[in-house]
Amino acid sequence: VYERLVKPWGFFEILMETLTSKVKLLSVSPGERLSLQRHEHRMETWYIVKGTAKVTRGVERFTLQVGDSIIIEKNQIHRLENDSEENLEVIEIQTGNYFGEDDIVRIEDSYGRAGLH
């Protein structure tokens, strides 16, 4: 499965999808960030492959470098940000029983999408 979806923060590509997992490449443009969000049906593992990531997970804040990874549990509030001058690239591995984009519950969003699925 190969699909590229352009987002206000950059784009993602779906690299693989099965009944129990989905793998994406996220590319976050310099100065951009994803929604502060959570998912009811999936957990995610992020693996940094390019750039530096600012990660919010619950009340914790992390800076992750190439080779670092982090696990986001189901219903855990999280955000991915790129405050560097180069694109941030992250391999996202989703596991669970549903992977639709409508499983995004946005709490805060820089692009006016909070409260939308």
Side-chain angles (χ1 to χ4, degrees), residues 50-83:
K50 181 181 177 187
T52 301
K54 301 286 185 189
V55 175
T56 300
R57 183 180 66 182
V59 297
E60 302 171 287
R61 297 264 302 155
F62 303 91
T63 299
L64 301 181
Q65 307 290 335
V66 171
D68 291 339
S69 63
I70 192 167
I71 294 172
I72 310 295
E73 300 291 342
K74 285 182 190 175
N75 285 306
Q76 196 166 42
I77 293 172
H78 60 282
R79 181 190 305 248
L80 181 62
E81 301 178 58
N82 179 6
D83 65 1

Side-chain angles (χ1 to χ4, degrees), residues 1 14-24 41-45 92-100:
V1 179
I14 299 170
L15 305 177
M16 183 205 82
E17 186 169 4
T18 70
L19 292 175
T20 58
S21 66
K22 186 175 196 175
V23 180
K24 293 179 177 178
H41 301 284
R42 67 179 184 246
M43 64 180 288
E44 297 175 344
T45 301
E92 177 181 272
I93 304 164
Q94 302 175 0
T95 53
N97 57 14
Y98 180 72
F99 307 107

Side-chain angles (χ1 to χ4, degrees), residues 22-45:
K22 186 175 196 175
V23 180
K24 293 179 177 178
L25 169 67
L26 309 178
S27 180
V28 184
S29 300
E32 302 297 331
R33 63 187 189 170
L34 282 67
S35 307
L36 185 65
Q37 61 185 252
R38 66 181 179 81
H39 308 288
E40 295 178 9
H41 301 284
R42 67 179 184 246
M43 64 180 288
E44 297 175 344
T45 301

Side-chain angles (χ1 to χ4, degrees), residues 48-53 64-67 82 84 86-90:
I48 311 307
V49 294
K50 181 181 177 187
T52 301
L64 301 181
Q65 307 290 335
V66 171
N82 179 6
S84 75
E86 68 173 336
N87 281 352
L88 166 64
E89 292 185 356
V90 177

